[in-house]
Amino acid sequence: MRCRVCLGEVVIELPRHNAAFCPDHFTKFCRDQVAKAIKEFDMINEGDRCLVAVSGGKDSIAIWDILLELGYAADGFYVGLGIDDYSDVSGQYARKFAAERGIKLIEVDLREQYDYDIPQAAAKSNRVPCSSCGLSKRHLFDKAALDGGYDVLVTGHNLDDEAAVLYGNVLRWQVEYLARQKPVLEAGNGLPKKVKPLVRLTERETAAYCIIKGLDYQVEECPMAAGNKHLQFKEALNRAEEASAGIKNAFYFGFLRNALEPFERAVADGYSSSGIETPVVLGACIRCGSTSSAEVCAFCRLVENTAGAKPT
Ligand code: Q46
Ligand code: ZN
Ligand code: ZN
């Protein structure tokens, strides 16, 4: 096969697009896909200040690089999760990327600033580590975006991530989650606007983008990912993709086009999976001031239960 654009030597084949690309046209393809997602879903406006949640992995490094290449103002935000060497190395890649370009990387370290880490939180809770990790990251991402006055919080969720989450939510008909399964969540209720500009690229493509561009990233999988059911859903969808190229894309974008709206409407009309119609009253957490339906938000409860320390 030759490059679809210049007929040069190919570096990657993309069966779902029935195409192959040389290095230059592949990186252009990635930028074009991100630009298309941003435009299609109205993710970022001209002049917006973006904060990219950077884990040091391929997806967040790739989206940070692509946004800068596309001319967006994008700072980074990294959370030190305290997951042994994995976190140390991940942080180094995020810092290296920022330092080489002279751009801003905001950092929060769970141990230093909140007196706990993810292994501790996982040990104290009866749930998989990703549960307290996800809760911590979501809270800190939102806080950093709001405190820094950013217009948009950018995360590196790719097509594989979104299709796997959708698959899990469909299997259990999680109506409330399905109603929010969108590549853009507008600002509101004390939360920043959140966007996922990588939804048109797979993780194989973001990894290839980083390798071709010589961007260093954390190659190791998180050692605490065991029990994360999304990984198994991803594997199931990878098998489906092998059987039928493009099925992931069709599944995810078909949902957005054809099936999202009734879920949004149901939730707007007061649907509750518990069957109890209790209007959620949002207030401010008495510890940290973040928007919460409880007196003390879930993050502050996690901090208190895990470390006995109150966040500042
Ligand atoms: S870092 Fe945290 Fe992930 Fe590790 S513990 Fe799970 S959520 S897998 S993206
Ligand atoms: Zn080419
Ligand atoms: Zn709180």
Side-chain angles (χ1 to χ4, degrees), residues 50 52-70 72-78 89-107 206 209-211 213-218:
C50 307
V52 182
V54 185
S55 69
K58 60 190 182 320
D59 302 310
S60 56
I61 292 285
I63 192 55
W64 201 3
D65 188 73
I66 292 172
L67 288 181
L68 294 170
E69 292 249 345
L70 291 174
Y72 291 104
D75 293 340
F77 177 64
Y78 173 77
V89 173
S90 302
Q92 284 166 14
Y93 288 124
R95 277 174 223 120
K96 180 171 183 273
F97 184 93
E100 285 174 355
R101 288 157 186 80
I103 52 177
K104 185 169 172 181
L105 176 71
I106 304 167
E107 290 196 52
T206 59
Y209 178 88
C210 289
I211 291 165
K213 287 213 64 188
L215 303 172
D216 291 329
Y217 64 90
Q218 168 63 282

Side-chain angles (χ1 to χ4, degrees), residues 1-311:
M1 260 182 131
R2 311 298 292 177
C3 171
R4 174 198 264 187
V5 184
C6 69
L7 302 181
E9 205 167 311
V10 300
V11 71
I12 189 165
E13 291 183 22
L14 304 181
R16 76 196 168 94
H17 290 285
N18 196 21
F21 293 103
C22 70
D24 284 353
H25 286 117
F26 175 67
T27 53
K28 181 176 183 304
F29 164 84
C30 294
R31 285 191 299 276
D32 289 349
Q33 292 297 315
V34 168
K36 192 171 173 185
I38 290 173
K39 188 161 179 255
E40 184 177 1
F41 297 107
D42 205 7
M43 291 182 172
I44 308 173
N45 296 314
E46 221 184 300
D48 275 356
R49 289 177 65 236
C50 307
L51 184 65
V52 182
V54 185
S55 69
K58 60 190 182 320
D59 302 310
S60 56
I61 292 285
I63 192 55
W64 201 3
D65 188 73
I66 292 172
L67 288 181
L68 294 170
E69 292 249 345
L70 291 174
Y72 291 104
D75 293 340
F77 177 64
Y78 173 77
V79 180
L81 302 168
I83 306 176
D84 307 324
D85 294 351
Y86 172 78
S87 289
D88 296 340
V89 173
S90 302
Q92 284 166 14
Y93 288 124
R95 277 174 223 120
K96 180 171 183 273
F97 184 93
E100 285 174 355
R101 288 157 186 80
I103 52 177
K104 185 169 172 181
L105 176 71
I106 304 167
E107 290 196 52
V108 167
D109 187 89
L110 288 183
R111 276 190 201 133
E112 280 174 22
Q113 278 146 281
Y114 293 96
D115 195 22
Y116 79 99
D117 57 31
I118 296 305
Q120 278 177 344
K124 283 244 178 182
S125 75
N126 293 325
R127 307 176 69 182
V128 293
C130 296
S131 171
S132 43
C133 185
L135 167 64
S136 304
K137 287 193 289 192
R138 275 192 303 278
H139 177 91
L140 295 168
F141 292 167
D142 291 346
K143 178 172 160 44
L146 293 172
D147 288 355
Y150 290 93
D151 300 293
V152 189
L153 173 65
V154 178
T155 56
H157 296 95
N158 57 42
L159 177 60
D160 299 78
D161 297 322
E162 292 306 287
V165 172
L166 175 61
Y167 185 46
N169 288 338
V170 165
L171 289 177
R172 291 192 180 276
W173 295 114
Q174 305 260 33
V175 173
E176 287 102 327
Y177 290 143
L178 287 165
R180 289 174 55 80
Q181 176 114 32
K182 299 185 274 192
V184 173
L185 291 173
E186 293 298 337
N189 285 333
L191 296 171
K193 180 175 180 178
K194 299 176 194 181
V195 303
K196 300 171 181 172
L198 284 181
V199 283
R200 300 187 63 86
L201 293 174
T202 64
E203 57 188 30
R204 174 175 170 257
E205 290 155 11
T206 59
Y209 178 88
C210 289
I211 291 165
I212 289 167
K213 287 213 64 188
L215 303 172
D216 291 329
Y217 64 90
Q218 168 63 282
V219 182
E220 300 299 320
E221 292 294 331
C222 171
M224 306 209 77
N228 183 331
K229 56 187 180 306
H230 289 135
L231 294 180
Q232 285 151 44
F233 292 153
K234 265 188 193 175
E235 282 170 21
L237 288 173
N238 284 342
R239 283 197 292 278
E241 184 75 24
E242 277 168 26
S244 176
I247 199 85
K248 259 184 237 176
N249 194 80
F251 177 53
Y252 178 67
F253 287 99
F255 167 77
L256 294 182
R257 234 181 354 260
N258 305 318
L260 168 65
E261 203 264 332
F263 293 106
E264 288 186 292
R265 202 166 356 105
V267 170
D269 290 347
Y271 172 90
S272 162
S273 54
S274 63
I276 309 163
E277 278 194 36
T278 42
V280 178
V281 182
L282 293 174
C285 167
I286 58 167
R287 298 268 192 275
C288 71
S290 70
T291 303
S292 171
S293 56
E295 195 178 17
V296 177
C297 77
F299 176 74
C300 289
R301 288 200 304 268
L302 169 78
V303 173
E304 288 174 2
N305 291 339
T306 307
K310 291 180 178 57

